[in-house]
Amino acid sequence: MMQNGSTKDDNWQIKSSQAALATSATARWMASAKKSKSTDESVPSKSTITLSIGELLPPTEARAAIVDAIQESSAHGYAISYGNSITRQAVAEFLSDSNLKFTIDDIIMTSGCNQAIETCFTCLADPGDNILIPRSSFSLFDSLCAAGHIEPRFYNLRPDKGWEIDFEDLKKKHRRANTSCSHQQSIKSMWHYEIYAGMTFEGVKFHATATLSERVPVLTCGGISKLFCCPGWRCGWIAIHDPMNYLFDSVRPCLFDLSVRLLGPNSIIQAALPRILNETPKIYFKDYMAYVQKNAELMFDILSQAQPTIEPHKSQGALYMLIRINPDQFDGTIENEIDFAKKLMDEQAVSCVPCTSFGISNYCRLVTVAPFENVRDACERIVEFCHKYQKKSNGHTHNNNNTE
Amino acid sequence: MMQNGSTKDDNWQIKSSQAALATSATARWMASAKKSKSTDESVPSKSTITLSIGELLPPTEARAAIVDAIQESSAHGYAISYGNSITRQAVAEFLSDSNLKFTIDDIIMTSGCNQAIETCFTCLADPGDNILIPRSSFSLFDSLCAAGHIEPRFYNLRPDKGWEIDFEDLKKKHRRANTSCSHQQSIKSMWHYEIYAGMTFEGVKFHATATLSERVPVLTCGGISKLFCCPGWRCGWIAIHDPMNYLFDSVRPCLFDLSVRLLGPNSIIQAALPRILNETPKIYFKDYMAYVQKNAELMFDILSQAQPTIEPHKSQGALYMLIRINPDQFDGTIENEIDFAKKLMDEQAVSCVPCTSFGISNYCRLVTVAPFENVRDACERIVEFCHKYQKKSNGHTHNNNNTE
């Protein structure tokens, strides 16, 4: 608002930096993809179904640990920028097992997993470098690449094989990277986003990437947000696995030094973290994953009724599932996953995230951790939506009462 | 550590990025300046005196607000990336007075003031741009300039006039910036670091920079860390003052969008913030600043005994004081402020920060918020140290029992 009578000088209109505009473009796209296309015209009569991790509570033990930590005088002052010793020691023990050992010197605490990822990007890549990224991945990678003038080189995963790496494609991208890029270092180390570490369904085993590497350094970006249902707490870490000491001279010390830019996670959470990690009973995780698995199975069953317009993929863990959108099975109304997500929000007030922002087309992502009733209602609305717009062939029409 | 028998390939030694190395260099310098030069040889026999804000506790009301917030289910999920509405509304009201109005749409919550500063840097400056920075300032600015290939242009403050701006020098630097830089935008807006807002001693009035500007946009970076004695909580903000709407099209939306990179401060603190800001009684701040003022006056009195080797500057607020180091008054042992700080730590186990890292030479910074006894003992040791190394002239020698 103009607050005084001075004349506005249009030469003063101030532009944002290129890096800011690049981040902004990605953020805008994400936000618009989640929103209704035409909120004014077609406000859905149905109430919006929120699918969000926020509905579940962190473990009782974790909340009690925080209440106690608040009483400690040491929990309020500046933490060490890369994390306090008791905190890092607790994380090192939490991540270690018979196959993989971390010490306190391998752990850098961060303000959520996002800071961990940004720190790894900043530390490893100069402008003009490239980074191999699987699709689908995480939209933050795009933002950071754009802001840092780093070229993302996407390699494919195989939806038909449970999203395992398409090694032929990876080799191709890797080879190109070796020959066409002036800085090859970015393909000599790996950072890995393991915020869903250990969150697998019954009968599925999780393998930390670091356990698979005897030579290649692996920087694992993790945190407590998903496993302890507390994404708002912003407590993450980088765990350095470097069996051959390839990071010893330069990258390892720089990762620690970069922590001065943000000074890490909240000090109360740091003080409470040893108890959060050690005292949360195993049954919490078991019940939690059983709850998510039950949701995921229900969602798969309901959404299967909408085939062939969409194809749900069975989740093996984590807190979401992917559904494939088949535009050629729709009546022409749905051209791609963005169309699907927008129209679904417009008409059925159900939000799902088009995976365009994760690097793949024709897929949408649905959160599996919301309350059972929300999940069920959301999926039933999706089926209704798909049947309404399904391509009519051989005189056969779908409607709500005619599911196959 | 080598964990298996594979041969190490030295071609794999991985280098950090230029940005990381630049940040690292600044961080290293800061750390080394605070440490003893020769810890192995001359371990001081005295116990180290810690001068740190961590000794004081946040207000009782603030800690109670957090305990209550933990019980709320809404305090654990993802916050809105630029801050939850109740939080931003509370900050807008907290910063507003009869001269200055902020609305919820002017506030972006950040992970401490550091994220606020980094966001402003990222948003306003492209590589090759320049930023006018007062000396002394804050070492993070150097790191961010180095990492972002932004040229810092330092202008002087006047120690003889209570550190007011040297306007002649500022004009000179400003003019040069106008003509020699291809992007002039960075000199058309201001961001201001006001983490010590309102923290003045009795009889001294604080003026927020934004109140002084009727045209020029001001981005104020602030937070609760200093005023509420909780630097570890990492809760900061950017407050946008833009009376002519010069930031409306580009900078303002980009500042909000950049928040997706880190997702803001801890959600429990956000939930508690309205009560922290509104329910902390005025007497808390009054007692707190009276305590700091008493310390600062005591420090000034004791340190004055070491003149002319050093000259303490009377503080008017904040949580530290500056002392000028006069190398020509020493016996040749102390060449500059870095020498002074290192030898002081070596011999007297007292830490003070050389202001080299804040952009000025021949000054050191001492924290005024530590417990009274620590502050007193630290200053007495400094006086002892200065007398020991004072230049001997006219047969007059200083020692512990001969203070002037």
Side-chain angles (χ1 to χ4, degrees):
Chain A
M1 290 294 136
M2 301 277 184
Q3 283 170 10
N4 59 51
S6 322
T7 315
K8 189 169 169 179
D9 175 356
D10 278 338
N11 290 332
W12 269 60
Q13 276 299 335
I14 298 168
K15 284 265 175 306
S16 298
S17 71
Q18 292 306 311
L21 291 169
T23 306
S24 193
T26 318
R28 286 300 161 86
W29 192 93
M30 283 288 286
S32 77
K34 283 183 200 165
K35 268 188 198 152
S36 165
K37 204 171 200 167
S38 47
T39 38
D40 290 338
E41 291 159 30
S42 56
V43 179
S45 54
K46 295 173 178 175
S47 64
T48 304
I49 299 181
T50 310
L51 299 177
S52 151
I53 191 179
E55 307 288 324
L56 287 181
L57 276 180
T60 314
E61 294 76 9
R63 286 177 286 147
I66 293 179
V67 171
D68 290 346
I70 291 169
Q71 312 311 324
E72 292 170 28
S73 63
S74 61
H76 309 290
Y78 281 113
I80 296 172
S81 64
Y82 44 82
N84 289 333
S85 298
I86 56 155
T87 315
R88 290 158 57 225
Q89 180 63 37
V91 172
E93 288 168 14
F94 181 73
L95 296 178
S96 295
D97 62 19
S98 54
N99 294 317
L100 193 62
K101 296 282 173 237
F102 290 102
T103 75
I104 185 173
D105 296 325
D106 299 321
I107 308 297
I108 296 164
M109 299 303 300
T110 56
S111 179
C113 200
N114 280 35
Q115 191 201 343
I117 293 168
E118 181 157 349
T119 301
C120 291
F121 262 81
T122 305
C123 191
L124 290 173
D126 276 306
D129 283 352
N130 58 65
I131 290 184
L132 287 164
I133 297 176
R135 41 183 158 208
S136 78
S137 62
F138 179 27
S139 56
L140 179 65
F141 303 161
D142 286 27
S143 289
L144 293 173
C145 282
H149 305 285
I150 301 158
E151 181 201 345
R153 295 201 173 166
F154 294 103
Y155 61 91
N156 294 331
L157 303 180
R158 299 192 55 176
D160 57 322
K161 295 217 168 183
W163 301 94
E164 71 176 33
I165 292 172
D166 180 339
F167 282 102
E168 284 310 308
D169 189 54
L170 178 60
K171 270 189 228 163
K172 212 162 55 191
K173 304 290 164 57
H174 190 139
R175 210 175 303 126
R176 260 198 9 206
N178 248 326
T179 52
S180 66
C181 175
S182 60
H183 291 73
Q184 286 98 31
Q185 66 171 67
S186 56
I187 55 168
K188 286 185 180 165
S189 61
M190 291 182 67
W191 50 259
H192 210 253
Y193 175 53
E194 290 189 357
I195 196 70
Y196 292 103
M199 300 183 71
T200 49
F201 294 158
E202 219 185 321
V204 182
K205 193 164 156 33
F206 169 76
H207 298 276
T209 312
T211 59
L212 309 176
S213 169
E214 290 186 352
R215 296 181 59 92
V216 180
V218 177
L219 304 176
T220 303
C221 298
I224 59 174
S225 63
K226 312 288 186 188
L227 193 56
F228 293 83
C229 274
C230 55
W233 294 3
R234 314 308 306 135
C235 181
W237 55 69
I238 301 169
I240 305 173
H241 170 71
D242 181 24
M244 305 300 284
N245 280 335
Y246 290 137
L247 307 180
F248 191 81
D249 292 334
S250 182
V251 173
R252 183 186 280 266
C254 273
L255 286 170
F256 278 85
D257 291 340
L258 279 168
S259 65
V260 298
R261 277 165 62 166
L262 268 173
L263 307 179
N266 179 282
S267 52
I268 303 172
I269 308 292
Q270 287 202 52
L273 197 62
R275 276 183 58 195
I276 295 173
L277 296 178
N278 294 323
E279 294 183 13
T280 300
K282 292 260 182 301
I283 190 74
Y284 174 85
F285 306 112
K286 201 167 171 241
D287 287 351
Y288 176 21
M289 289 318 295
Y291 170 86
V292 177
Q293 181 165 6
K294 192 178 152 208
N295 273 355
E297 286 168 358
L298 174 84
M299 292 169 82
F300 182 83
D301 289 344
I302 300 179
L303 293 172
S304 292
Q305 298 168 13
Q307 291 196 66
T309 54
I310 59 171
E311 290 167 47
H313 282 249
K314 263 211 163 90
S315 292
Q316 295 185 298
L319 301 179
Y320 59 85
M321 71 184 298
L322 295 176
I323 53 174
R324 185 179 164 81
I325 315 295
N326 294 318
D328 58 349
Q329 298 297 325
F330 284 98
D331 61 5
T333 334
I334 310 292
E335 284 178 27
N336 52 41
E337 71 280 6
I338 302 172
D339 249 14
F340 181 87
K342 287 194 173 180
K343 291 209 173 82
L344 184 67
M345 181 45 113
D346 270 346
E347 294 191 19
Q348 298 284 352
V350 170
S351 77
C352 71
V353 180
C355 291
T356 337
S357 53
F358 305 116
I360 50 171
S361 50
N362 286 335
Y363 279 90
C364 282
R365 201 173 106 155
L366 284 172
V367 170
T368 50
V369 74
F372 188 79
E373 296 72 21
N374 291 12
V375 159
R376 185 197 56 208
D377 294 352
C379 289
E380 284 173 355
R381 290 191 196 176
I382 292 174
V383 172
E384 181 188 327
F385 176 82
C386 290
H387 285 167
K388 179 176 169 190
Y389 292 111
Q390 184 169 354
K391 186 167 66 182
K392 290 156 193 69
S393 55
N394 308 326
H396 181 71
T397 306
H398 277 286
N399 61 43
N400 291 353
N401 306 108
N402 181 11
T403 54
E404 56 191 10
Chain B
M1 290 293 137
M2 301 276 184
Q3 282 170 11
N4 59 50
S6 323
T7 315
K8 188 170 169 178
D9 176 356
D10 278 338
N11 290 332
W12 269 60
Q13 276 299 334
I14 298 168
K15 285 266 175 306
S16 298
S17 71
Q18 292 305 311
L21 291 170
T23 306
S24 193
T26 318
R28 286 299 161 87
W29 191 92
M30 284 287 287
S32 78
K34 283 184 200 165
K35 267 188 200 154
S36 165
K37 204 170 201 167
S38 48
T39 38
D40 291 338
E41 291 160 30
S42 56
V43 179
S45 53
K46 294 172 177 175
S47 64
T48 304
I49 299 181
T50 310
L51 299 176
S52 151
I53 191 179
E55 307 288 325
L56 287 180
L57 277 180
T60 314
E61 293 76 10
R63 286 177 286 146
I66 292 178
V67 171
D68 290 346
I70 291 169
Q71 311 312 324
E72 292 170 28
S73 63
S74 60
H76 308 290
Y78 281 113
I80 296 172
S81 64
Y82 45 81
N84 288 333
S85 298
I86 56 155
T87 315
R88 290 158 57 225
Q89 180 63 37
V91 172
E93 288 168 14
F94 181 73
L95 296 178
S96 295
D97 62 20
S98 54
N99 294 317
L100 192 62
K101 296 282 173 237
F102 290 102
T103 74
I104 185 173
D105 296 324
D106 299 322
I107 307 297
I108 296 164
M109 299 304 300
T110 56
S111 179
C113 200
N114 280 35
Q115 191 201 341
I117 293 167
E118 181 157 349
T119 301
C120 291
F121 262 81
T122 305
C123 191
L124 291 173
D126 276 306
D129 283 353
N130 58 66
I131 289 185
L132 287 164
I133 297 176
R135 38 182 159 211
S136 78
S137 62
F138 179 27
S139 56
L140 179 65
F141 303 161
D142 287 26
S143 289
L144 293 174
C145 282
H149 305 285
I150 301 159
E151 182 200 346
R153 295 201 174 166
F154 294 103
Y155 61 91
N156 294 331
L157 304 180
R158 299 192 55 176
D160 57 321
K161 295 217 168 182
W163 301 95
E164 71 176 34
I165 292 172
D166 180 340
F167 281 102
E168 284 311 308
D169 189 54
L170 178 59
K171 271 188 227 162
K172 213 163 55 190
K173 304 290 164 57
H174 190 138
R175 211 175 303 127
R176 260 199 7 208
N178 247 327
T179 51
S180 66
C181 176
S182 60
H183 291 74
Q184 286 98 31
Q185 65 171 67
S186 56
I187 56 167
K188 286 186 180 165
S189 62
M190 292 181 66
W191 50 259
H192 210 254
Y193 175 53
E194 290 189 358
I195 196 69
Y196 292 103
M199 300 182 71
T200 49
F201 294 157
E202 218 184 321
V204 182
K205 192 164 156 33
F206 169 77
H207 299 275
T209 312
T211 59
L212 309 176
S213 169
E214 291 185 352
R215 295 182 60 92
V216 179
V218 177
L219 304 176
T220 303
C221 298
I224 59 173
S225 63
K226 313 287 186 188
L227 192 56
F228 293 83
C229 275
C230 55
W233 294 2
R234 315 307 306 135
C235 181
W237 55 68
I238 301 169
I240 305 172
H241 170 71
D242 181 24
M244 305 300 285
N245 280 335
Y246 290 137
L247 307 180
F248 191 80
D249 292 335
S250 182
V251 173
R252 183 185 281 265
C254 273
L255 286 170
F256 278 85
D257 291 340
L258 279 168
S259 65
V260 298
R261 278 165 61 166
L262 268 173
L263 307 179
N266 179 283
S267 53
I268 302 172
I269 308 292
Q270 287 203 52
L273 198 62
R275 277 184 58 194
I276 295 174
L277 296 179
N278 294 324
E279 294 183 12
T280 300
K282 292 260 182 301
I283 190 74
Y284 174 84
F285 306 112
K286 202 168 172 241
D287 288 350
Y288 176 22
M289 288 318 294
Y291 170 85
V292 177
Q293 182 165 5
K294 192 178 152 208
N295 273 355
E297 286 168 357
L298 174 85
M299 292 169 81
F300 182 83
D301 289 344
I302 300 179
L303 293 172
S304 293
Q305 298 167 14
Q307 292 197 67
T309 53
I310 60 170
E311 290 167 46
H313 283 248
K314 264 211 162 91
S315 292
Q316 295 184 296
L319 302 179
Y320 59 86
M321 70 185 298
L322 295 176
I323 53 174
R324 185 179 164 79
I325 315 295
N326 294 319
D328 59 349
Q329 298 297 325
F330 284 98
D331 62 4
T333 333
I334 310 291
E335 284 178 26
N336 52 41
E337 71 281 6
I338 302 172
D339 250 14
F340 181 87
K342 287 194 174 181
K343 291 208 174 81
L344 184 67
M345 181 45 113
D346 271 346
E347 294 190 20
Q348 298 284 352
V350 170
S351 77
C352 71
V353 180
C355 291
T356 337
S357 52
F358 306 116
I360 50 171
S361 49
N362 287 335
Y363 279 90
C364 282
R365 202 172 106 154
L366 283 172
V367 170
T368 51
V369 74
F372 188 79
E373 296 73 21
N374 290 13
V375 159
R376 185 197 56 207
D377 294 352
C379 289
E380 284 173 355
R381 290 190 194 177
I382 292 173
V383 172
E384 181 187 325
F385 176 82
C386 290
H387 286 167
K388 179 177 169 190
Y389 292 110
Q390 184 170 354
K391 186 167 66 182
K392 290 155 193 69
S393 56
N394 309 325
H396 181 71
T397 306
H398 278 286
N399 61 43
N400 291 354
N401 307 109
N402 181 11
T403 55
E404 57 191 7

